[in-house]
Amino acid sequence: MSETTPRIPLIVDVDTGIDDSLALLYLLASPEAEILAITCTAGNVPARQVAINNLAWLELCGAGDIEVALGSEVPVLAPLMTTEETHGPQGIGYAELPAPTRSISERHATQVWIDAVRTAPGQVIGLVTGPLTNLALALRIEPELPRLLKRLVIMGGSFHHSGNTTPVSEWNIAVDPESAKMVFDAFSGLPDDRAPIVCALDVTERIEMRPEHLQRIAAAIGDEDAALSPDTPFGSRSQARNPVLRHLTDAVRFYFEFHVTHDQGWLAHMHDPFAAAVALHPEIVTLRPATVDVELGGTLSRGQTIADYAGLWGREPNAAVVVDTDPAAFFDHLIDRVSALAVRVEEAAGGGSH
Ligand code: BDR
Ligand code: CA
């Protein structure tokens, strides 16, 4: 990356979350990413815990100047559900990050979204890796938001793929289906290159992180980690020297264990880091225009996302659905970036083997 490479201004809305955590690390590691603010929504864990997790990761990585704003603590209509069994009691698996010293912003997340797009119309990329509550609320106040954003990238939904929350619904949509529908409806009628990019389970469940991916980071930074192997007992903690690798491993270990106990193998689906990479580099995916809508009723199908690729509803496309990518190339990119961040953080703390 040259010094003249333009930076990409981003608003990142998260429900951190193990994979949201790695998405943040990836963005912090990416010189082209200019994180304007991180907005927090309730999802994997309650919104205040999400904010604490974000502040803690930022501080660990020496990025303590990025604003972290709290959003809605509940979905617009549905009762809040959280999933500590998937992401750990605090949402970051077994990781025990140093308590952050900074406070949550005084601005509300919706205000952050609105101010960012009004200040730099047509320039900001929005990335949402949690439920769409904050964005839906922001849209109520600023209906022009879809035209003021440069592009929106969403991790959410499942189309020709089983859900992960109900048989037909994906977590981020299932937590707040009304907000998801509001967002898809609001993005109707935009030019093709402005339609939200949707990273659904169809593709994100192909992004399988395995212990060897973390071992490659360890090797790249001259560290080692005994806690990665499936042969070690559940709950084993990382002994890594490098703090980024150690906390990341403790977080992801919990996610591996969740996946293995759900018969998916010793792996973890890295939905959110993939969406983050798409936000910076949409050229890594193949997109297909579709009209996307969300089922709000249905005795069995509430929260289902449906993509009409053939125009059968007679409505214009309102989304660009990711239909293909190269997972191995994504992991190469992720490992390079996160390894560099880990070295930088350790060097800043005065340690390291380099
Ligand atoms: C999504 O749900 C959350 O548990 C993950 O963080 C990801 O954003 C995957 O369905
Ligand atoms: Ca998430």
Side-chain angles (χ1 to χ4, degrees):
M1 180 88 24
S2 88
E3 282 180 16
T4 55
T5 305
R7 297 187 77 206
I8 302 166
L10 292 162
I11 293 290
V12 186
D13 199 305
V14 289
D15 65 334
T16 318
I18 294 171
D19 57 332
D20 305 75
S21 297
L22 184 52
L24 286 183
L25 294 180
Y26 163 78
L27 292 173
L28 293 171
S30 295
E32 69 275 41
E34 180 191 3
I35 305 177
L36 301 176
I38 299 176
T39 49
C40 309
T41 191
N44 290 323
V45 288
R48 277 178 195 276
Q49 184 62 49
V50 169
I52 291 169
N53 295 343
N54 295 333
L55 288 166
W57 283 117
L58 291 175
E59 219 158 291
L60 179 81
C61 296
D65 53 341
I66 297 177
E67 180 178 6
V68 174
L70 191 63
S72 177
E73 299 196 54
V74 287
V76 296
L77 187 67
L80 176 64
M81 54 176 177
T82 57
T83 185
E84 284 79 0
E85 68 278 15
T86 313
H87 290 270
Q90 271 88 43
I92 48 174
Y94 293 120
E96 295 179 57
L97 296 173
T101 58
R102 259 192 328 141
S103 310
I104 298 170
S105 171
E106 289 178 3
R107 288 200 296 169
H108 191 274
T110 51
Q111 200 59 47
V112 169
W113 272 95
I114 292 165
D115 289 350
V117 297
R118 285 182 181 162
T119 305
Q123 293 177 42
V124 177
I125 304 262
L127 168 65
V128 183
T129 66
L132 287 149
T133 316
N134 291 332
L135 182 54
L137 292 173
L139 281 163
R140 280 188 183 167
I141 302 167
E142 178 48 280
E144 284 302 302
L145 208 149
R147 272 158 288 276
L148 291 169
L149 272 174
K150 181 173 184 190
R151 194 119 206 205
L152 176 67
V153 178
I154 295 170
M155 189 285 127
S158 58
F159 298 109
H160 303 287
H161 194 88
S162 291
N164 62 0
T165 305
T166 75
V168 295
S169 74
E170 179 279 332
W171 174 259
N172 289 337
I173 307 296
V175 169
D176 192 347
E178 279 74 17
S179 286
K181 180 169 173 56
M182 279 188 246
V183 169
F184 284 112
D185 286 352
F187 277 79
S188 300
L190 294 183
D192 288 356
D193 64 349
R194 303 291 280 275
I197 299 179
V198 183
C199 307
L201 296 181
D202 309 57
V203 71
T204 65
E205 288 206 348
R206 291 175 51 208
I207 310 297
E208 297 179 341
M209 179 170 254
R210 296 175 183 276
E212 45 272 32
H213 293 119
L214 291 169
Q215 271 149 359
R216 281 172 56 192
I217 298 177
I221 66 174
D223 206 340
E224 56 181 272
D225 201 331
L228 289 171
S229 158
D231 306 329
T232 48
F234 268 35
S236 297
R237 302 300 169 87
S238 169
Q239 302 302 314
R241 175 201 74 237
N242 181 287
V244 173
L245 177 63
R246 187 170 66 251
H247 293 306
L248 174 63
T249 304
D250 283 343
V252 174
R253 166 108 206 174
F254 193 97
Y255 220 19
F256 285 153
E257 292 177 5
F258 171 81
H259 285 75
V260 84
T261 51
H262 288 77
D263 298 326
Q264 292 176 301
W266 196 259
L267 56 84
H269 295 128
M270 284 300 164
H271 316 275
D272 296 346
F274 173 70
V278 174
L280 297 185
H281 295 287
E283 69 277 6
I284 68 171
V285 294
T286 307
L287 298 173
R288 187 170 176 200
T291 308
V292 171
D293 210 335
V294 182
E295 176 62 65
L296 298 183
T299 51
L300 301 173
S301 56
R302 181 170 153 80
Q304 181 173 15
T305 39
I306 302 167
D308 177 9
Y309 292 109
L312 299 174
W313 289 330
R315 290 157 51 191
E316 289 297 305
N318 62 351
V321 175
V322 176
V323 292
D324 200 14
T325 194
D326 177 349
F330 163 74
F331 276 112
D332 290 348
H333 174 66
L334 180 79
I335 288 165
D336 281 355
R337 292 275 167 107
V338 175
S339 301
L341 174 73
V343 168
R344 209 164 71 220
V345 168
E346 196 173 0
E347 281 176 356
S353 65
H354 291 254

Short mmCIF file of all heavy atoms in Angstrom, two decimals, residues 312-342:
data_model
loop_
_atom_site.label_atom_id
_atom_site.label_comp_id
_atom_site.label_asym_id
_atom_site.label_seq_id
_atom_site.Cartn_x
_atom_site.Cartn_y
_atom_site.Cartn_z
N LEU A 312 -39.47 -12.11 -10.32
CA LEU A 312 -40.81 -12.68 -10.27
C LEU A 312 -41.79 -11.80 -9.49
O LEU A 312 -42.99 -11.84 -9.71
CB LEU A 312 -40.77 -14.09 -9.64
CG LEU A 312 -39.92 -15.10 -10.40
CD1 LEU A 312 -39.80 -16.41 -9.63
CD2 LEU A 312 -40.52 -15.37 -11.79
N TRP A 313 -41.25 -11.02 -8.56
CA TRP A 313 -42.11 -10.09 -7.81
C TRP A 313 -42.40 -8.82 -8.62
O TRP A 313 -43.19 -7.98 -8.19
CB TRP A 313 -41.44 -9.67 -6.50
CG TRP A 313 -41.36 -10.73 -5.45
CD1 TRP A 313 -42.23 -11.76 -5.24
CD2 TRP A 313 -40.35 -10.85 -4.42
NE1 TRP A 313 -41.83 -12.51 -4.15
CE2 TRP A 313 -40.69 -11.98 -3.63
CE3 TRP A 313 -39.21 -10.12 -4.08
CZ2 TRP A 313 -39.92 -12.38 -2.53
CZ3 TRP A 313 -38.46 -10.52 -2.99
CH2 TRP A 313 -38.80 -11.64 -2.23
N GLY A 314 -41.70 -8.64 -9.72
CA GLY A 314 -41.88 -7.42 -10.52
C GLY A 314 -41.32 -6.19 -9.83
O GLY A 314 -41.79 -5.07 -10.06
N ARG A 315 -40.35 -6.37 -8.96
CA ARG A 315 -39.72 -5.24 -8.27
C ARG A 315 -38.26 -5.15 -8.66
O ARG A 315 -37.60 -6.16 -8.88
CB ARG A 315 -39.84 -5.44 -6.75
CG ARG A 315 -41.27 -5.29 -6.24
CD ARG A 315 -41.51 -6.01 -4.93
NE ARG A 315 -40.53 -5.69 -3.91
CZ ARG A 315 -40.40 -6.34 -2.75
NH1 ARG A 315 -41.19 -7.37 -2.48
NH2 ARG A 315 -39.49 -5.98 -1.90
N GLU A 316 -37.77 -3.92 -8.71
CA GLU A 316 -36.36 -3.69 -9.06
C GLU A 316 -35.45 -4.34 -8.02
O GLU A 316 -35.79 -4.38 -6.85
CB GLU A 316 -36.07 -2.19 -9.08
CG GLU A 316 -36.69 -1.44 -10.25
CD GLU A 316 -36.13 -1.92 -11.58
OE1 GLU A 316 -34.91 -1.91 -11.74
OE2 GLU A 316 -36.94 -2.33 -12.44
N PRO A 317 -34.24 -4.78 -8.43
CA PRO A 317 -33.28 -5.28 -7.45
C PRO A 317 -32.96 -4.20 -6.41
O PRO A 317 -32.87 -3.02 -6.75
CB PRO A 317 -32.04 -5.62 -8.29
CG PRO A 317 -32.57 -5.82 -9.67
CD PRO A 317 -33.75 -4.90 -9.81
N ASN A 318 -32.79 -4.63 -5.16
CA ASN A 318 -32.39 -3.69 -4.09
C ASN A 318 -31.16 -4.20 -3.34
O ASN A 318 -30.85 -3.71 -2.25
CB ASN A 318 -33.54 -3.46 -3.10
CG ASN A 318 -33.95 -4.75 -2.40
OD1 ASN A 318 -33.49 -5.84 -2.77
ND2 ASN A 318 -34.80 -4.64 -1.40
N ALA A 319 -30.48 -5.20 -3.91
CA ALA A 319 -29.32 -5.76 -3.22
C ALA A 319 -28.40 -6.41 -4.25
O ALA A 319 -28.82 -6.77 -5.35
CB ALA A 319 -29.77 -6.82 -2.20
N ALA A 320 -27.13 -6.53 -3.84
CA ALA A 320 -26.14 -7.28 -4.62
C ALA A 320 -25.68 -8.42 -3.71
O ALA A 320 -24.98 -8.18 -2.72
CB ALA A 320 -24.98 -6.37 -5.01
N VAL A 321 -26.12 -9.61 -4.03
CA VAL A 321 -25.86 -10.75 -3.16
C VAL A 321 -24.52 -11.39 -3.55
O VAL A 321 -24.27 -11.63 -4.74
CB VAL A 321 -27.00 -11.78 -3.27
CG1 VAL A 321 -26.69 -13.04 -2.46
CG2 VAL A 321 -28.32 -11.16 -2.82
N VAL A 322 -23.69 -11.65 -2.54
CA VAL A 322 -22.41 -12.31 -2.81
C VAL A 322 -22.70 -13.79 -3.12
O VAL A 322 -23.28 -14.49 -2.29
CB VAL A 322 -21.45 -12.21 -1.60
CG1 VAL A 322 -20.17 -12.99 -1.87
CG2 VAL A 322 -21.14 -10.75 -1.30
N VAL A 323 -22.28 -14.23 -4.30
CA VAL A 323 -22.56 -15.62 -4.67
C VAL A 323 -21.28 -16.45 -4.78
O VAL A 323 -21.34 -17.67 -4.86
CB VAL A 323 -23.37 -15.73 -5.99
CG1 VAL A 323 -24.78 -15.20 -5.77
CG2 VAL A 323 -22.69 -15.00 -7.14
N ASP A 324 -20.11 -15.79 -4.78
CA ASP A 324 -18.89 -16.60 -4.86
C ASP A 324 -17.70 -15.79 -4.36
O ASP A 324 -17.70 -14.55 -4.40
CB ASP A 324 -18.63 -17.05 -6.30
CG ASP A 324 -17.68 -18.26 -6.36
OD1 ASP A 324 -17.45 -18.89 -5.29
OD2 ASP A 324 -17.18 -18.55 -7.46
N THR A 325 -16.70 -16.53 -3.88
CA THR A 325 -15.44 -15.92 -3.46
C THR A 325 -14.40 -17.03 -3.39
O THR A 325 -14.70 -18.20 -3.62
CB THR A 325 -15.59 -15.22 -2.10
OG1 THR A 325 -14.46 -14.37 -1.88
CG2 THR A 325 -15.71 -16.21 -0.96
N ASP A 326 -13.16 -16.63 -3.04
CA ASP A 326 -12.09 -17.61 -2.90
C ASP A 326 -11.66 -17.62 -1.43
O ASP A 326 -10.87 -16.77 -1.01
CB ASP A 326 -10.91 -17.18 -3.81
CG ASP A 326 -9.71 -18.11 -3.68
OD1 ASP A 326 -9.67 -18.96 -2.76
OD2 ASP A 326 -8.79 -17.97 -4.52
N PRO A 327 -12.20 -18.55 -0.62
CA PRO A 327 -11.91 -18.52 0.82
C PRO A 327 -10.42 -18.61 1.14
O PRO A 327 -9.94 -17.92 2.06
CB PRO A 327 -12.67 -19.74 1.36
CG PRO A 327 -13.77 -19.96 0.38
CD PRO A 327 -13.19 -19.60 -0.96
N ALA A 328 -9.67 -19.40 0.39
CA ALA A 328 -8.23 -19.54 0.69
C ALA A 328 -7.51 -18.20 0.50
O ALA A 328 -6.66 -17.81 1.31
CB ALA A 328 -7.61 -20.62 -0.19
N ALA A 329 -7.86 -17.49 -0.57
CA ALA A 329 -7.24 -16.18 -0.81
C ALA A 329 -7.63 -15.20 0.29
O ALA A 329 -6.81 -14.39 0.75
CB ALA A 329 -7.66 -15.63 -2.18
N PHE A 330 -8.88 -15.28 0.74
CA PHE A 330 -9.30 -14.42 1.85
C PHE A 330 -8.44 -14.70 3.09
O PHE A 330 -7.95 -13.76 3.74
CB PHE A 330 -10.79 -14.63 2.17
CG PHE A 330 -11.16 -14.10 3.53
CD1 PHE A 330 -11.28 -12.73 3.74
CD2 PHE A 330 -11.34 -14.96 4.61
CE1 PHE A 330 -11.57 -12.22 5.00
CE2 PHE A 330 -11.62 -14.46 5.87
CZ PHE A 330 -11.74 -13.09 6.07
N PHE A 331 -8.25 -15.97 3.43
CA PHE A 331 -7.46 -16.28 4.63
C PHE A 331 -6.01 -15.84 4.48
O PHE A 331 -5.41 -15.37 5.45
CB PHE A 331 -7.59 -17.76 5.01
CG PHE A 331 -8.83 -18.03 5.82
CD1 PHE A 331 -9.87 -18.78 5.29
CD2 PHE A 331 -8.97 -17.51 7.10
CE1 PHE A 331 -11.03 -19.00 6.04
CE2 PHE A 331 -10.13 -17.72 7.85
CZ PHE A 331 -11.16 -18.48 7.32
N ASP A 332 -5.44 -15.98 3.29
CA ASP A 332 -4.06 -15.49 3.09
C ASP A 332 -3.99 -14.00 3.43
O ASP A 332 -3.08 -13.54 4.13
CB ASP A 332 -3.62 -15.69 1.63
CG ASP A 332 -3.41 -17.16 1.29
OD1 ASP A 332 -3.38 -17.99 2.22
OD2 ASP A 332 -3.29 -17.46 0.08
N HIS A 333 -4.95 -13.25 2.90
CA HIS A 333 -5.01 -11.80 3.11
C HIS A 333 -5.21 -11.48 4.60
O HIS A 333 -4.49 -10.64 5.18
CB HIS A 333 -6.18 -11.29 2.26
CG HIS A 333 -6.53 -9.86 2.41
ND1 HIS A 333 -5.71 -8.83 2.03
CD2 HIS A 333 -7.67 -9.27 2.91
CE1 HIS A 333 -6.31 -7.67 2.27
NE2 HIS A 333 -7.48 -7.91 2.81
N LEU A 334 -6.15 -12.16 5.23
CA LEU A 334 -6.44 -11.92 6.65
C LEU A 334 -5.21 -12.21 7.51
O LEU A 334 -4.86 -11.42 8.41
CB LEU A 334 -7.60 -12.83 7.07
CG LEU A 334 -8.05 -12.73 8.53
CD1 LEU A 334 -8.93 -11.49 8.73
CD2 LEU A 334 -8.86 -13.96 8.94
N ILE A 335 -4.55 -13.31 7.23
CA ILE A 335 -3.39 -13.72 8.04
C ILE A 335 -2.26 -12.71 7.89
O ILE A 335 -1.62 -12.31 8.87
CB ILE A 335 -2.96 -15.15 7.64
CG1 ILE A 335 -4.01 -16.14 8.16
CG2 ILE A 335 -1.56 -15.50 8.16
CD1 ILE A 335 -3.93 -17.52 7.54
N ASP A 336 -2.01 -12.26 6.67
CA ASP A 336 -0.98 -11.23 6.45
C ASP A 336 -1.27 -9.98 7.27
O ASP A 336 -0.41 -9.43 7.95
CB ASP A 336 -0.95 -10.78 4.98
CG ASP A 336 -0.21 -11.78 4.13
OD1 ASP A 336 0.35 -12.74 4.68
OD2 ASP A 336 -0.22 -11.59 2.89
N ARG A 337 -2.50 -9.54 7.17
CA ARG A 337 -2.87 -8.28 7.83
C ARG A 337 -2.78 -8.41 9.36
O ARG A 337 -2.21 -7.56 10.03
CB ARG A 337 -4.31 -7.89 7.44
CG ARG A 337 -4.46 -7.51 5.97
CD ARG A 337 -4.11 -6.05 5.81
NE ARG A 337 -3.94 -5.66 4.43
CZ ARG A 337 -4.78 -4.91 3.72
NH1 ARG A 337 -5.92 -4.52 4.25
NH2 ARG A 337 -4.49 -4.55 2.49
N VAL A 338 -3.41 -9.47 9.89
CA VAL A 338 -3.48 -9.59 11.36
C VAL A 338 -2.08 -9.87 11.93
O VAL A 338 -1.75 -9.38 13.02
CB VAL A 338 -4.52 -10.66 11.76
CG1 VAL A 338 -4.51 -10.91 13.26
CG2 VAL A 338 -5.91 -10.21 11.31
N SER A 339 -1.26 -10.59 11.19
CA SER A 339 0.13 -10.82 11.66
C SER A 339 0.87 -9.49 11.78
O SER A 339 1.56 -9.23 12.77
CB SER A 339 0.89 -11.73 10.68
OG SER A 339 0.24 -12.95 10.54
N ALA A 340 0.69 -8.64 10.78
CA ALA A 340 1.38 -7.34 10.81
C ALA A 340 0.89 -6.50 11.99
O ALA A 340 1.67 -5.83 12.68
CB ALA A 340 1.16 -6.59 9.49
N LEU A 341 -0.42 -6.55 12.24
CA LEU A 341 -0.96 -5.81 13.39
C LEU A 341 -0.37 -6.36 14.70
O LEU A 341 0.02 -5.59 15.58
CB LEU A 341 -2.49 -5.94 13.42
CG LEU A 341 -3.16 -5.32 14.65
CD1 LEU A 341 -3.14 -3.79 14.58
CD2 LEU A 341 -4.61 -5.81 14.79
N ALA A 342 -0.32 -7.67 14.80
CA ALA A 342 0.20 -8.28 16.04
C ALA A 342 1.63 -7.84 16.31
O ALA A 342 2.00 -7.51 17.44
CB ALA A 342 0.09 -9.80 15.95
#
